[in-house]
Amino acid sequence: MRLDSTRVLVTGGAGFIGSALCERLLGDGHRVVCADNFSTGRQANIAHLLTEPGFQLLTQDVVEPFDVPGPLDQIFHLASPASPVDYQRLPLETLRTGSAGTDNVLALARAKNARFLLASTSEVYGDPLEHPQPETYLGNVNTVGPRSVYDEAKRYAEAVTFAYHRAYGTDVAIARIFNTFGPRMRLNDGRVVPNFIAQALDGRPFSINGTGKQTRSLCYVDDMVDALVLLMRSPHRGPVNLGSTDEMAVLDIAGLIADQTGNPLRFTYAPLGQDDPERRRPDTRLAQRLLGWSPATGIPEGIAATISWFRTDLGSSR
Ligand code: NAD
């Protein structure tokens, strides 16, 4: 592949979505710098990229001010613990990454005159009182609840992103990412899909929090990467919701994984986590209109690809 002159920084590039994004940008012929502190990411996610001529790894905590020598045209800012298990284990790191970290990466974007894209989250809506959630919905976040370190870090990150744009004219965009799944999630990261796949591959019952009737809308990672690239290449600032509108009950997600793995459909029940949202579905009309994007991969197809990846990753023959 011939490399073009576009040089892109991906913070959090060793994580689940970040590593898929690095792969995609390299495939498009760009030069890619991945900055990561490996707090929740894995070397294994990017090991296959280290020999690519266009790929550079920078082991860096974005909470510390840093420079990337040379030009940068685009910055995708994904660095942040993202799963509830991670951000509850790393509460202060999560707040600092969203605040000081985002500020530092914006300062770099300003210095390099690069377009900056923030990976924000549906969690800025908290436990939403409006369904589905349009970008104009201002959210229902418990500022002192167990999820607040993540939700408020991302709300601050959105605020500082727009402040850089208003104060310095920095070219920015905000993607509000909804539940995304696929290969390279960690089996123990606490999110519903890897949780159920881990249980299914071990032949254990599926663990349900609450009634299991709460819904999630699951977007396959390749579709999410397409959306992030489209938003980066567009002139739009957003915030733009990115995700699937296919709302599925948690019980039905377990059913799908049971069918595909042959694990019998048995459940254990635990209480719903505090502030765990009951319903989660984006209004994605803006993404469709501005970017011409909607997810192309069906949930069963995405789940099948994810199970197959976990089987290989675990070296499992089950
Ligand atoms: P992930 O945990 O797999 O990846 C995050 C990456 O950021 C990891 O590689 C981690 O080591 C790195 N990181 C964390 N703090 C850092 C710091 N201070 N300095 C440098 N690197 C740091 O999570 P993911 O699911 O790939 O999420 C990527 C981004 O997308 C996150 O910003 C997350 O908030 C956002 N997002 C993800 C989802 C989802 O469903 N996966 C949903 C909404 C938003």
Side-chain angles (χ1 to χ4, degrees):
M1 164 80 63
R2 265 175 74 89
L3 291 172
D4 63 27
S5 61
T6 307
R7 191 155 180 258
V8 187
L9 172 66
V10 180
T11 74
F16 154 54
I17 300 177
S19 56
L21 178 62
C22 288
E23 217 171 60
R24 162 71 193 269
L25 294 167
L26 284 167
D28 287 348
H30 303 326
R31 293 162 206 276
V32 174
V33 182
C34 160
D36 205 295
N37 70 351
F38 295 96
S39 58
T40 63
R42 297 193 303 171
Q43 281 280 354
N45 288 345
I46 49 158
H48 62 299
L49 303 179
L50 292 172
T51 50
E52 295 279 332
F55 186 75
Q56 195 185 333
L57 172 65
L58 192 64
T59 302
Q60 175 69 48
D61 188 335
V62 298
V63 172
E64 306 301 328
F66 69 106
D67 187 25
V68 175
L72 285 175
D73 304 291
Q74 301 173 351
I75 301 179
F76 290 88
H77 178 41
L78 274 67
S80 169
S83 85
V85 169
D86 288 332
Y87 61 71
Q88 283 167 22
R89 177 174 58 86
L90 300 166
L92 293 166
E93 291 84 347
T94 302
L95 279 164
R96 290 179 187 133
T97 300
S99 53
T102 303
D103 200 339
N104 287 333
V105 180
L106 278 160
L108 188 62
R110 182 185 175 209
K112 303 284 183 183
N113 210 11
R115 177 158 162 87
F116 170 96
L117 184 150
L118 172 70
S120 184
T121 170
S122 55
E123 302 284 342
V124 298
Y125 300 124
D127 189 2
L129 303 175
E130 210 176 288
H131 299 284
Q133 296 89 50
E135 290 82 354
T136 46
Y137 178 57
L138 298 182
N140 178 38
V141 174
N142 175 357
T143 57
V144 294
R147 303 172 78 99
S148 63
V149 293
Y150 182 63
D151 304 4
E152 294 296 347
K154 290 289 186 178
R155 289 173 69 97
Y156 175 91
E158 289 199 5
V160 73
T161 296
F162 262 66
Y164 263 75
H165 173 61
R166 292 195 183 105
Y168 304 126
T170 309
D171 185 9
V172 300
I174 295 177
R176 287 192 182 144
I177 301 175
F178 282 64
N179 286 66
T180 302
F181 75 100
R184 301 206 195 98
M185 296 184 94
R186 282 170 298 130
L187 272 183
N188 57 354
D189 90 351
R191 290 183 272 197
V192 63
V193 170
N195 228 15
F196 286 166
I197 294 180
Q199 289 162 347
L201 295 183
D202 277 350
R204 286 181 280 138
F206 296 99
S207 59
I208 304 288
N209 296 331
T211 60
K213 291 187 180 145
Q214 69 272 27
T215 62
R216 296 291 178 266
S217 315
L218 301 174
C219 180
Y220 190 61
V221 63
D222 290 358
D223 291 329
M224 185 54 65
V225 165
D226 283 348
L228 294 173
V229 168
L230 281 169
L231 179 57
M232 175 59 92
R233 290 179 187 163
S234 81
H236 303 295
R237 297 199 193 298
V240 182
N241 286 341
L242 300 176
S244 164
T245 51
D246 248 345
E247 202 172 348
M248 251 182 118
V250 165
L251 283 174
D252 295 332
I253 299 172
L256 193 58
I257 293 173
D259 283 350
Q260 294 198 3
T261 55
N263 192 41
L265 197 55
R266 294 165 296 148
F267 300 111
T268 60
Y269 289 92
L272 194 66
Q274 192 194 335
D275 302 329
D276 217 356
E278 279 288 341
R279 293 187 68 193
R280 186 42 71 70
R281 177 155 69 94
D283 178 334
T284 54
R285 282 175 296 179
L286 193 63
Q288 284 166 31
R289 187 160 55 76
L290 298 183
L291 310 175
W293 176 87
S294 52
T297 314
I299 294 181
E301 197 185 335
I303 294 275
T306 310
I307 292 172
S308 148
W309 183 85
F310 274 123
R311 282 198 157 119
T312 313
D313 191 49
L314 293 171
S316 164
S317 56
R318 282 171 293 192

